[in-house]
Amino acid sequence: QYSLVRDVVSALRRHRMHEQQFLHPPLLVLGNFGARARAELRLMAGMFQGMFPALNVHRVNLNSIRRCLLISYDADSQLLEFRH
């Protein structure tokens, strides 16, 4: 399941979102996709990393990062949890 940005904005009472937030890609944080993970987890991690441009930690402007995307894998339930 997913929601479009316009649906999220229309559901908010007081929205503080502006279009400049979506000009830059989010910071991607992957949780529980360890180096010794199964092959399908490494494939998923690579797929998610390929969806967003890589950041150079020495040259990135911290003021330009407005969003963070957390993708965490729960090994017990075998589900992915997204938080944006």
Side-chain angles (χ1 to χ4, degrees):
Q1 296 179 350
Y2 66 94
S3 299
L4 298 174
V5 171
R6 66 174 177 245
D7 297 331
V8 172
V9 171
S10 66
L12 298 174
R13 292 184 187 174
R14 293 182 302 161
H15 66 278
R16 297 180 190 163
M17 298 173 72
H18 48 85
E19 293 181 10
Q20 285 86 14
Q21 285 180 286
F22 300 101
L23 292 178
H24 301 287
L27 176 67
L28 178 64
V29 179
L30 296 174
N32 299 328
F33 288 90
R36 291 186 281 162
R38 298 189 319 258
E40 59 267 16
L41 287 179
R42 289 194 306 268
L43 179 65
M44 282 193 295
M47 180 192 69
F48 289 127
Q49 289 171 346
M51 293 172 76
F52 302 101
L55 294 176
N56 184 343
V57 295
H58 300 291
R59 297 183 60 203
V60 69
N61 182 4
L62 294 179
N63 292 329
S64 68
I65 298 175
R66 297 289 181 203
R67 299 178 298 139
C68 180
L69 175 62
L70 170 66
I71 303 173
S72 179
Y73 177 72
D74 185 10
D76 295 334
S77 62
Q78 296 184 349
L79 294 175
L80 291 173
E81 297 175 3
F82 291 84
R83 183 163 179 115
H84 179 229

